[in-house]
PDB file of all heavy atoms in Angstrom:
ATOM      1  N   ASN A 147      -2.268  42.175 -14.749  1.00  0.00           N
ATOM      2  CA  ASN A 147      -1.905  43.460 -15.359  1.00  0.00           C
ATOM      3  C   ASN A 147      -0.695  43.396 -16.296  1.00  0.00           C
ATOM      4  O   ASN A 147      -0.304  44.406 -16.876  1.00  0.00           O
ATOM      5  CB  ASN A 147      -1.697  44.523 -14.289  1.00  0.00           C
ATOM      6  CG  ASN A 147      -0.556  44.196 -13.310  1.00  0.00           C
ATOM      7  OD1 ASN A 147       0.329  43.406 -13.633  1.00  0.00           O
ATOM      8  ND2 ASN A 147      -0.575  44.813 -12.147  1.00  0.00           N
ATOM      9  N   THR A 148      -0.086  42.202 -16.403  1.00  0.00           N
ATOM     10  CA  THR A 148       1.145  42.079 -17.186  1.00  0.00           C
ATOM     11  C   THR A 148       1.207  40.712 -17.855  1.00  0.00           C
ATOM     12  O   THR A 148       0.725  39.704 -17.303  1.00  0.00           O
ATOM     13  CB  THR A 148       2.381  42.239 -16.280  1.00  0.00           C
ATOM     14  OG1 THR A 148       2.283  43.467 -15.559  1.00  0.00           O
ATOM     15  CG2 THR A 148       3.667  42.224 -17.081  1.00  0.00           C
ATOM     16  N   VAL A 149       1.817  40.682 -19.040  1.00  0.00           N
ATOM     17  CA  VAL A 149       2.151  39.418 -19.703  1.00  0.00           C
ATOM     18  C   VAL A 149       3.660  39.293 -19.747  1.00  0.00           C
ATOM     19  O   VAL A 149       4.353  40.195 -20.239  1.00  0.00           O
ATOM     20  CB  VAL A 149       1.559  39.343 -21.121  1.00  0.00           C
ATOM     21  CG1 VAL A 149       2.020  38.070 -21.829  1.00  0.00           C
ATOM     22  CG2 VAL A 149       0.036  39.417 -21.088  1.00  0.00           C
ATOM     23  N   LEU A 150       4.181  38.200 -19.227  1.00  0.00           N
ATOM     24  CA  LEU A 150       5.608  37.930 -19.220  1.00  0.00           C
ATOM     25  C   LEU A 150       5.961  36.846 -20.240  1.00  0.00           C
ATOM     26  O   LEU A 150       5.413  35.727 -20.174  1.00  0.00           O
ATOM     27  CB  LEU A 150       6.089  37.471 -17.832  1.00  0.00           C
ATOM     28  CG  LEU A 150       5.806  38.422 -16.670  1.00  0.00           C
ATOM     29  CD1 LEU A 150       6.270  37.779 -15.355  1.00  0.00           C
ATOM     30  CD2 LEU A 150       6.512  39.761 -16.876  1.00  0.00           C
ATOM     31  N   ASP A 151       6.822  37.161 -21.176  1.00  0.00           N
ATOM     32  CA  ASP A 151       7.397  36.138 -22.055  1.00  0.00           C
ATOM     33  C   ASP A 151       8.768  35.806 -21.504  1.00  0.00           C
ATOM     34  O   ASP A 151       9.485  36.700 -21.029  1.00  0.00           O
ATOM     35  CB  ASP A 151       7.505  36.649 -23.476  1.00  0.00           C
ATOM     36  CG  ASP A 151       6.155  36.739 -24.160  1.00  0.00           C
ATOM     37  OD1 ASP A 151       5.644  35.707 -24.608  1.00  0.00           O
ATOM     38  OD2 ASP A 151       5.600  37.870 -24.225  1.00  0.00           O
ATOM     39  N   GLY A 152       9.150  34.547 -21.562  1.00  0.00           N
ATOM     40  CA  GLY A 152      10.447  34.179 -21.028  1.00  0.00           C
ATOM     41  C   GLY A 152      10.875  32.787 -21.420  1.00  0.00           C
ATOM     42  O   GLY A 152      10.166  32.075 -22.142  1.00  0.00           O
ATOM     43  N   ASN A 153      12.057  32.412 -20.958  1.00  0.00           N
ATOM     44  CA  ASN A 153      12.642  31.109 -21.253  1.00  0.00           C
ATOM     45  C   ASN A 153      12.745  30.289 -19.979  1.00  0.00           C
ATOM     46  O   ASN A 153      13.393  30.700 -19.012  1.00  0.00           O
ATOM     47  CB  ASN A 153      14.024  31.265 -21.882  1.00  0.00           C
ATOM     48  CG  ASN A 153      13.971  31.971 -23.230  1.00  0.00           C
ATOM     49  OD1 ASN A 153      13.025  31.756 -23.997  1.00  0.00           O
ATOM     50  ND2 ASN A 153      14.948  32.810 -23.515  1.00  0.00           N
ATOM     51  N   LEU A 154      12.091  29.139 -19.977  1.00  0.00           N
ATOM     52  CA  LEU A 154      12.120  28.212 -18.863  1.00  0.00           C
ATOM     53  C   LEU A 154      13.125  27.116 -19.170  1.00  0.00           C
ATOM     54  O   LEU A 154      13.069  26.492 -20.222  1.00  0.00           O
ATOM     55  CB  LEU A 154      10.735  27.620 -18.650  1.00  0.00           C
ATOM     56  CG  LEU A 154      10.586  26.510 -17.593  1.00  0.00           C
ATOM     57  CD1 LEU A 154      10.916  27.064 -16.187  1.00  0.00           C
ATOM     58  CD2 LEU A 154       9.185  25.912 -17.631  1.00  0.00           C
ATOM     59  N   THR A 155      14.050  26.895 -18.218  1.00  0.00           N
ATOM     60  CA  THR A 155      15.049  25.841 -18.406  1.00  0.00           C
ATOM     61  C   THR A 155      14.918  24.801 -17.311  1.00  0.00           C
ATOM     62  O   THR A 155      14.971  25.132 -16.126  1.00  0.00           O
ATOM     63  CB  THR A 155      16.486  26.432 -18.394  1.00  0.00           C
ATOM     64  OG1 THR A 155      16.603  27.420 -19.415  1.00  0.00           O
ATOM     65  CG2 THR A 155      17.516  25.342 -18.645  1.00  0.00           C
ATOM     66  N   VAL A 156      14.733  23.552 -17.704  1.00  0.00           N
ATOM     67  CA  VAL A 156      14.593  22.431 -16.780  1.00  0.00           C
ATOM     68  C   VAL A 156      15.401  21.259 -17.325  1.00  0.00           C
ATOM     69  O   VAL A 156      15.268  20.901 -18.496  1.00  0.00           O
ATOM     70  CB  VAL A 156      13.130  22.008 -16.604  1.00  0.00           C
ATOM     71  CG1 VAL A 156      13.005  20.796 -15.689  1.00  0.00           C
ATOM     72  CG2 VAL A 156      12.296  23.171 -16.072  1.00  0.00           C
ATOM     73  N   LYS A 157      16.233  20.670 -16.502  1.00  0.00           N
ATOM     74  CA  LYS A 157      17.068  19.525 -16.906  1.00  0.00           C
ATOM     75  C   LYS A 157      17.863  19.805 -18.186  1.00  0.00           C
ATOM     76  O   LYS A 157      17.978  18.950 -19.053  1.00  0.00           O
ATOM     77  CB  LYS A 157      16.202  18.275 -17.078  1.00  0.00           C
ATOM     78  CG  LYS A 157      15.649  17.735 -15.778  1.00  0.00           C
ATOM     79  CD  LYS A 157      14.959  16.394 -15.943  1.00  0.00           C
ATOM     80  CE  LYS A 157      15.984  15.290 -16.229  1.00  0.00           C
ATOM     81  NZ  LYS A 157      15.327  13.943 -16.256  1.00  0.00           N
ATOM     82  N   GLY A 158      18.363  21.036 -18.327  1.00  0.00           N
ATOM     83  CA  GLY A 158      19.162  21.376 -19.486  1.00  0.00           C
ATOM     84  C   GLY A 158      18.362  21.608 -20.740  1.00  0.00           C
ATOM     85  O   GLY A 158      18.945  21.767 -21.805  1.00  0.00           O
ATOM     86  N   ILE A 159      17.048  21.658 -20.630  1.00  0.00           N
ATOM     87  CA  ILE A 159      16.177  21.887 -21.802  1.00  0.00           C
ATOM     88  C   ILE A 159      15.508  23.234 -21.637  1.00  0.00           C
ATOM     89  O   ILE A 159      14.858  23.497 -20.623  1.00  0.00           O
ATOM     90  CB  ILE A 159      15.124  20.763 -21.933  1.00  0.00           C
ATOM     91  CG1 ILE A 159      15.813  19.417 -22.133  1.00  0.00           C
ATOM     92  CG2 ILE A 159      14.158  21.060 -23.079  1.00  0.00           C
ATOM     93  CD1 ILE A 159      14.883  18.217 -22.101  1.00  0.00           C
ATOM     94  N   THR A 160      15.658  24.101 -22.627  1.00  0.00           N
ATOM     95  CA  THR A 160      15.102  25.446 -22.583  1.00  0.00           C
ATOM     96  C   THR A 160      13.978  25.601 -23.591  1.00  0.00           C
ATOM     97  O   THR A 160      14.133  25.245 -24.753  1.00  0.00           O
ATOM     98  CB  THR A 160      16.187  26.513 -22.866  1.00  0.00           C
ATOM     99  OG1 THR A 160      17.228  26.392 -21.897  1.00  0.00           O
ATOM    100  CG2 THR A 160      15.592  27.906 -22.815  1.00  0.00           C
ATOM    101  N   LYS A 161      12.828  26.123 -23.130  1.00  0.00           N
ATOM    102  CA  LYS A 161      11.686  26.363 -24.001  1.00  0.00           C
ATOM    103  C   LYS A 161      11.003  27.683 -23.614  1.00  0.00           C
ATOM    104  O   LYS A 161      11.037  28.079 -22.437  1.00  0.00           O
ATOM    105  CB  LYS A 161      10.685  25.208 -23.910  1.00  0.00           C
ATOM    106  CG  LYS A 161      11.211  23.919 -24.519  1.00  0.00           C
ATOM    107  CD  LYS A 161      10.152  22.836 -24.530  1.00  0.00           C
ATOM    108  CE  LYS A 161      10.675  21.583 -25.212  1.00  0.00           C
ATOM    109  NZ  LYS A 161      10.904  21.791 -26.670  1.00  0.00           N
ATOM    110  N   PRO A 162      10.402  28.372 -24.592  1.00  0.00           N
ATOM    111  CA  PRO A 162       9.692  29.603 -24.289  1.00  0.00           C
ATOM    112  C   PRO A 162       8.397  29.316 -23.545  1.00  0.00           C
ATOM    113  O   PRO A 162       7.647  28.414 -23.919  1.00  0.00           O
ATOM    114  CB  PRO A 162       9.411  30.196 -25.674  1.00  0.00           C
ATOM    115  CG  PRO A 162       9.396  29.015 -26.602  1.00  0.00           C
ATOM    116  CD  PRO A 162      10.405  28.052 -26.030  1.00  0.00           C
TER     117      PRO A 162
END
Side-chain angles (χ1 to χ4, degrees):
N147 61 21
T148 306
V149 175
L150 302 177
D151 287 281
N153 296 323
L154 174 64
T155 302
V156 177
K157 291 187 71 174
I159 299 172
T160 300
K161 291 185 176 293

